[in-house]
Amino acid sequence: MGGLGVHALDHAGTAGRPGSVVHRLDPRAKVVGLLGITLAAAVAPRGAWVVPAACLVALAGVAWWARVPATVVWRRARVVLPLVLLAAAVVPFVGGGPSVAVGPVHLSVEGLRTFGAVAAAATVGTLSAVLLTATTAFPDVLRALERLRVPRAFTLTCAFMYRYLFVLGEEVGRMRAALAARGFRPRTALGAAAVGRLATALFLRGHARGERVYLAMCARGFCGVMPAGAPGRLGRAEAGFLAALGALVVPVSVWAQVA
Amino acid sequence: MDALRIAGLRHRYPAGRLALDGVDLAVARGERVAVLGPNGAGKTTLALHLNGLLEGEGEVEVAGLRLGRDTLRAVRERVGLVFQDPDDQLFMPTVREDVAFGPRNMGLDEDRAAARVAEALGAVRMAHAAGRAPHQLSMGERRRVAIATVLAMRPDLLVLDEPTANLDPRARRELAEVLDPLPATMLVVTHDLPFAAEMCDRAVVLAAGRIVADGPCREVLADRALLAAHDLELPCGFDLGLVATRPYAASAPSARRNAISTRVPGP
């Protein structure tokens, strides 16, 4: 399997102790709780470092509870985090106001603060997402979103994407292998033409598959509306989880906003 | 009453090609019919008509119910169509969700849909894979799950389009063991003549959109001139006399034990 390396997605499944309290919670509680933490960090006033700190403590608690090893969190976070931080990395160089000299480079103090705030929020958001996916299978996240009234069109698109990413990835892998087997080694820009044709073939195959999938759905009684799934159950464990996260993050956030 | 009755079915694709040119076929309840024919003979087009996925001229009647716009839904509940590529059929993130798709479309509540899922996955010996994603399964397993997705709807008629395509010998045998105990009427569209000999009592040959031969499966397969005239060929060295029809019925007690009932009273 090669191509897009889509099987990496497979390894991005659940981690830690599968039977832990956190793993067994209704996915809705985890989506709401971890999204809440991300929001708290994102809307915290600049300079109120106590808010992201409280969020990180809450996330560390969740990770410990679910026995998700720090190495797993780090391995997954480092895929996303550099991309997020890169966007904010230019701010200290272009910000106005007082500046500090770091060797030959002058960095804006205000810009550094902004970068710090963005970096803190991005870290909290990334870690929340990593912990959600480490403790909840992707189909369960989608079902949770559905039950939280996220539009069906969105969750269904995500579900199809998740399902067919693997199929398309395998197709890309086979096509690349077929190119390589016939000695294709792109050394110049002209090689891009073959890649372009590969993309075209992939698009056409994807389109044809889409039509066949639709026929297969109709064959099983699909009439344009997806049938609803099984309802979930929100109980004491979920309430306790949300209360614990809330107790850590809400008072600090409110204090930061008021102050 | 016949499980399936087709009369004068014609279908022309928008590009102008005549894919079915007056097909007449009657299949009795419980019968297993192999639909043989070269590429482009119209086999898949015929299969798509049985579920109302394509519309043509002529009549299709499933268990006495004539296919029309008003009966489309009921007919689709009665005809279980298994597509050639399981990746076309299995589109939900997990096996359980996929098998539940049909029963939920039929309006069954969650408990009854879950019971159907357990029953169908048990019948194809895939109960252990309910929580897995389709891409994590082998081709043989995907094929069996694809069959479970239609068994969960308890169809009268099972239509299998090239069920042994891309299967290794072991997966092919496991598929036969799963299919053999099923009491449903079956239409098996295939190029795999040995598989047709093992599974089906009767065979029809479709060529250029018409049925050109219809008879006991072994007789049809023994007619070398007929096969040659329609680009069909038994594997080299294959001896029809050595093949027992439905050899898996006796050798697969576990499969029989898991046999699913089709269209029985109840949920």
Side-chain angles (χ1 to χ4, degrees):
Chain A
M1 176 51 239
L4 300 168
V6 285
H7 274 221
L9 258 183
D10 242 359
H11 303 302
T14 54
R17 198 173 65 198
S20 84
V21 181
V22 182
H23 284 82
R24 280 187 285 121
L25 286 175
D26 185 302
R28 280 177 294 180
K30 287 182 269 186
V31 169
V32 169
L34 293 168
L35 191 66
I37 287 181
T38 306
L39 281 178
V43 302
R46 211 165 36 146
W49 302 109
V50 65
V51 177
C55 292
L56 287 174
V57 169
L59 292 174
V62 173
W64 178 81
W65 222 1
R67 301 290 189 275
V68 181
T71 47
V72 170
V73 176
W74 164 243
R75 262 207 313 271
R76 295 184 181 186
R78 77 180 175 192
V79 178
V80 184
L81 210 47
L83 296 173
V84 179
L85 293 184
L86 195 65
V90 292
V91 179
F93 297 97
V94 297
S99 63
V100 287
V102 180
V105 185
H106 288 264
L107 298 175
S108 151
V109 173
E110 211 40 34
L112 277 175
R113 275 207 189 131
T114 306
F115 174 72
V118 171
T123 305
V124 170
T126 304
L127 294 182
S128 296
V130 165
L131 286 176
L132 177 65
T133 53
T135 57
T136 320
F138 188 69
D140 291 335
V141 174
L142 290 180
R143 255 194 307 280
L145 292 174
E146 218 164 70
R147 287 186 206 128
L148 289 167
R149 306 283 167 88
V150 170
R152 214 83 203 272
F154 175 78
T155 55
L156 207 56
T157 306
C158 291
F160 276 116
M161 196 177 72
Y162 173 73
R163 171 70 183 93
Y164 286 103
L165 196 56
F166 294 96
V167 176
L168 284 177
E170 280 170 13
E171 259 172 42
V172 170
R174 284 194 296 270
M175 289 159 93
R176 279 180 57 174
L179 284 181
R182 283 181 285 158
F184 177 67
R185 277 183 298 170
R187 291 206 187 109
T188 61
L190 287 175
V195 177
R197 280 186 210 111
L198 186 143
T200 310
L202 195 68
F203 172 77
L204 291 174
R205 286 187 197 183
H207 187 267
R209 184 177 293 281
E211 287 190 343
R212 293 198 304 270
V213 171
Y214 177 69
L215 281 182
M217 290 169 74
C218 291
R220 284 193 282 156
F222 178 70
C223 298
V225 181
M226 286 297 279
R233 211 169 287 152
L234 287 173
R236 261 189 233 161
E238 285 75 18
F241 173 77
L242 289 175
L245 292 186
L248 263 171
V249 176
V250 172
V252 178
S253 297
V254 172
W255 175 81
Q257 295 290 349
V258 173
Chain B
M1 187 200 320
D2 287 328
L4 173 69
R5 201 181 62 77
I6 302 171
L9 187 62
R10 283 167 60 88
H11 184 87
R12 190 181 287 280
Y13 279 107
R17 191 170 70 84
L18 189 63
L20 296 178
D21 186 14
V23 172
D24 297 297
L25 179 68
V27 179
R29 193 170 283 265
E31 205 174 13
R32 293 181 182 187
V33 181
V35 179
L36 314 173
N39 283 331
K43 304 189 297 292
T44 298
T45 305
L46 176 66
L48 293 175
H49 270 277
L50 304 184
N51 217 320
L53 292 170
L54 285 178
E55 277 183 57
E57 297 164 30
E59 275 181 37
V60 176
E61 211 175 89
V62 179
L65 192 64
R66 189 176 165 182
L67 179 62
R69 296 219 163 156
D70 49 331
T71 57
L72 202 55
R73 211 178 160 135
V75 168
R76 285 180 181 170
E77 287 178 15
R78 293 180 184 203
V79 179
L81 180 55
V82 181
F83 284 65
Q84 184 174 345
D85 184 351
D87 279 330
D88 294 342
Q89 187 126 11
L90 308 176
F91 64 93
M92 296 291 268
T94 65
V95 165
R96 181 183 292 110
E97 293 284 309
D98 215 302
V99 179
F101 179 75
R104 283 176 181 159
N105 279 328
M106 290 166 73
L108 297 190
D109 62 34
E110 272 315 303
D111 289 342
R112 289 197 293 172
R116 291 281 186 102
V117 171
E119 181 186 69
L121 285 177
V124 298
R125 302 190 222 165
M126 288 299 294
H128 59 280
R132 291 168 71 187
H135 67 260
Q136 293 170 328
L137 307 177
S138 71
M139 182 53 87
E141 290 174 324
R142 281 183 218 184
R143 184 90 59 188
R144 271 147 59 199
V145 171
I147 291 169
T149 64
V150 301
L151 287 185
M153 298 172 77
R154 291 186 180 164
D156 281 314
L157 174 66
L158 204 53
V159 182
L160 302 146
D161 192 2
E162 298 287 1
T164 57
N166 298 324
L167 294 190
D168 60 31
R170 183 185 160 172
R172 182 181 174 283
R173 173 183 51 78
E174 287 172 344
L175 175 76
E177 286 178 0
V178 158
L179 287 176
D180 208 45
L182 300 177
T185 310
M186 277 186 215
L187 215 60
V188 183
V189 173
T190 187
H191 271 121
D192 185 343
L193 305 188
F195 187 75
E198 289 165 11
M199 294 293 299
C200 300
D201 324 300
R202 178 181 161 201
V204 297
V205 177
L206 197 64
R210 284 168 173 270
I211 288 181
V212 294
D214 183 347
C217 195
R218 277 159 181 273
E219 282 178 25
V220 170
L221 294 182
D223 188 341
R224 285 177 183 257
L226 172 76
L227 296 187
H230 299 102
D231 300 334
L232 294 167
E233 207 171 292
L234 284 163
C236 185
F238 184 80
D239 185 350
L240 261 178
L242 297 177
V243 178
T245 302
R246 304 183 60 179
Y248 304 103
S251 69
S254 59
R256 244 204 328 267
R257 202 164 47 243
N258 289 330
I260 197 168
S261 54
T262 52
R263 189 65 58 177
V264 293

